[in-house]
Amino acid sequence: MIDKNCIFCKIISGEIPSQKVYEDEKMLVFKDIEPKAKVHLLAIAKDHFKLLSDMDESRAELVKYMLLKIPAIAKENGCEKGYRLVINQGEDAGQTVFHLHIHILGGEILPW
Ligand code: AMP
Ligand code: ZN
């Protein structure tokens, strides 16, 4: 499913440009526009759902798929010595884009 008002769906369709580092039929990984670490990538599924709490069995399969792919993608993009994955859930966490995404942060020693 695609949401025509969602900026990450627009990135998937190419309507909004992005610096893609990995793409396949199920997921896309691109550089965060305001990096909070030397390496800051965003992994998204090519299926629009807003929140981690909107998870169901098929969406969980997509998240599992992404988690299986992320180690190699992170390694190839400057996170050989480790990285941090973050999913912000909702307002208190500061979620600003409501299309589930996994932040991949690394390329340096990360402050907590
Ligand atoms: P969150 O606060 O977890 O919802 O994260 C949203 C992230 O998306 C932020 O780190 C933003 O810098 C990033 N972001 C917003 N718009 C774009 C864009 N057009 N291209 C790349 N990253 C973006
Ligand atoms: Zn979307």
Side-chain angles (χ1 to χ4, degrees), residues 3 6 8 48-51 89-91 94-101:
D3 176 337
C6 166
F8 286 178
H48 177 90
F49 65 101
K50 289 183 177 151
L51 295 158
Q89 158 77 27
E91 199 182 324
Q95 186 176 0
T96 56
V97 179
F98 289 86
H99 177 131
L100 184 89
H101 50 282

Side-chain angles (χ1 to χ4, degrees), residues 1-3 6-18 20 22-30 42-49 66 99-100:
M1 198 182 81
I2 288 287
D3 176 337
C6 166
I7 60 167
F8 286 178
C9 285
K10 288 181 182 174
I11 282 175
I12 292 165
S13 71
E15 192 182 334
I16 292 178
S18 66
K20 294 176 190 175
Y22 178 82
E23 182 167 20
D24 65 26
E25 72 283 5
K26 289 185 183 159
M27 71 183 280
L28 177 64
V29 184
F30 56 98
L42 298 172
I44 61 175
K46 290 185 172 177
D47 180 25
H48 177 90
F49 65 101
M66 290 200 283
H99 177 131
L100 184 89

Side-chain angles (χ1 to χ4, degrees), residues 4 12 15 19 22 24 39-40 52 57 59 61 63-64 67 70-71 77 80 88 91 96-97 99 102 110:
K4 60 178 172 28
I12 292 165
E15 192 182 334
Q19 288 183 273
Y22 178 82
D24 65 26
V39 177
H40 187 174
L52 190 63
E57 288 298 328
R59 288 166 175 171
E61 282 300 318
V63 173
K64 174 182 165 187
L67 290 173
I70 281 171
N77 285 279
E80 298 83 0
N88 289 322
E91 199 182 324
T96 56
V97 179
H99 177 131
I102 303 173
L110 299 169

